[in-house]
Amino acid sequence: MENFKLPPKKERLMLFGSIEPGIKTKPSEKEKMPDLQNVREDFLFEIDAVGITNVKMPVSITSVLHPLTQTTIASFTLTSTIPRDVKGTNMSRFTEQLELYRRQGFTLDFSQLSDFVKELAERLGQRDASLEVTFPWFYEQTAPASSLAGLNHADAKISVSYQHGKIAERMVELTCAVTTLCPCSKEISEYSAHNQRGYIKMTALLLDEYKESSDWKALLLHAAESNASALIYPILKRPDEKTVTEQAYENPRFVEDMVRLVAADLYEIPFIQSFTVECRNEESIHLHDAYASVTFNKRHK
């Protein structure tokens, strides 16, 4: 190995572009620094949403399904409106609010999230604030024959908005994977039928009557899985594969069938006011994906 002497660290840094600090002339005390965000003037338009996005943070989740409690990594988007005569918002106040809740233990239930957006609006000095948080949610899935259990996961999202002194809206979303078997393929083939992995995305507006003990995640998951041709499992032995394959053959589903069946289940959940159900099948014998959606508002029935 060749032996050579490196220059000192400071010289190495300067070799690659570092320079000596210059003379500082601008104030370093916060009180003396200009605050451009708070400039008042006619800036042409009110801004619908301004804030921060793609902020990742560990959070806790509770569920009626195992594991009953878990820690996951959530991605936050926090925004508020600003009026026409205000130049900008104070971005650091968004992250200060997140850090405050992280230190005291951030659990993604509606009690904490409602408090969060109310306090955020007050911290910003605005009449409103909105929060959107996305996270993977893990739940146990038990194989039908061997009873071997493992973890599946679904992608979840919660949106909470605060306006004029009260919580204005609570939206939830869950996207999970299922198995669907093509009814047309089953009908026209002498034997067998092609199946595919389907992704069910459910978005729902919750009424004030919703109680945390109901666990919206588990209810939406059940609406998707109970209407599928078959479930998807993390662990399958040969007897499980036989059971799942036969179950799928006995329950063929088009994407159109899936969205209608899931919509019926969501309609029957009393604390859901409106919903959208989407199904996207990754077709196994077509190059394209199949897609369908249903949107329904109970107030307009």
Side-chain angles (χ1 to χ4, degrees), residues 43 129 168 195 208 249 270:
F43 292 107
N195 57 25
D208 293 339
Y249 194 79

Side-chain angles (χ1 to χ4, degrees), residues 130-247:
S130 295
L131 172 150
E132 181 181 286
V133 55
T134 59
F135 55 95
W137 167 53
F138 292 85
Y139 58 95
E140 278 191 7
Q141 194 78 287
T142 303
S146 67
S147 296
L148 293 174
L151 286 180
N152 274 7
H153 76 275
D155 295 325
K157 179 164 72 172
I158 303 174
S159 302
V160 180
S161 62
Y162 174 85
Q163 293 178 359
H164 306 293
K166 64 179 183 179
I167 299 300
E169 191 173 83
R170 299 185 299 178
M171 295 283 296
V172 295
E173 180 180 294
L174 192 76
T175 303
C176 62
V178 297
T179 295
T180 59
L181 182 135
C182 178
C184 185
S185 175
K186 178 181 177 179
E187 183 69 22
I188 66 178
S189 300
E190 295 292 344
Y191 39 79
S192 188
H194 79 86
N195 57 25
Q196 51 271 321
R197 183 176 297 177
Y199 292 92
I200 312 301
K201 179 179 176 182
M202 298 153 286
T203 306
L205 175 63
L206 302 185
L207 295 168
D208 293 339
E209 288 77 12
Y210 172 76
K211 303 299 181 186
E212 211 73 49
S213 58
S214 299
D215 192 3
W216 64 269
K217 303 181 298 301
L219 288 171
L220 267 59
L221 178 68
H222 179 73
E225 291 187 335
S226 64
N227 289 298
S229 298
L231 307 190
I232 289 179
Y233 299 88
I235 303 174
L236 288 176
K237 307 298 283 186
R238 274 176 294 173
D240 299 310
E241 290 193 22
K242 171 180 168 62
T243 301
V244 172
T245 302
E246 292 173 349
Q247 181 185 2

Side-chain angles (χ1 to χ4, degrees), residues 9 20 35-36 48 50 74 81 94 119 130 132 153 162 177 194 208 238 243 253 265 275-276:
K9 180 69 174 279
E20 294 288 347
D35 188 356
L36 293 181
D48 297 330
V50 58
T81 63
F94 293 97
E119 293 171 16
S130 295
E132 181 181 286
H153 76 275
Y162 174 85
H194 79 86
D208 293 339
R238 274 176 294 173
T243 301
R253 300 283 189 267
D265 279 20
F275 57 81
T276 296

Side-chain angles (χ1 to χ4, degrees), residues 83-116:
R84 175 174 172 165
D85 64 342
V86 174
K87 184 172 180 61
T89 191
N90 192 319
M91 296 291 181
S92 64
R93 294 180 184 175
F94 293 97
T95 51
E96 284 178 324
Q97 181 77 0
L98 272 176
E99 182 61 17
L100 174 65
Y101 271 69
R102 182 192 72 81
R103 289 179 179 273
Q104 66 188 27
F106 206 164
T107 300
L108 296 185
D109 58 45
F110 282 106
S111 176
Q112 278 208 39
L113 293 174
S114 297
D115 290 343
F116 183 97

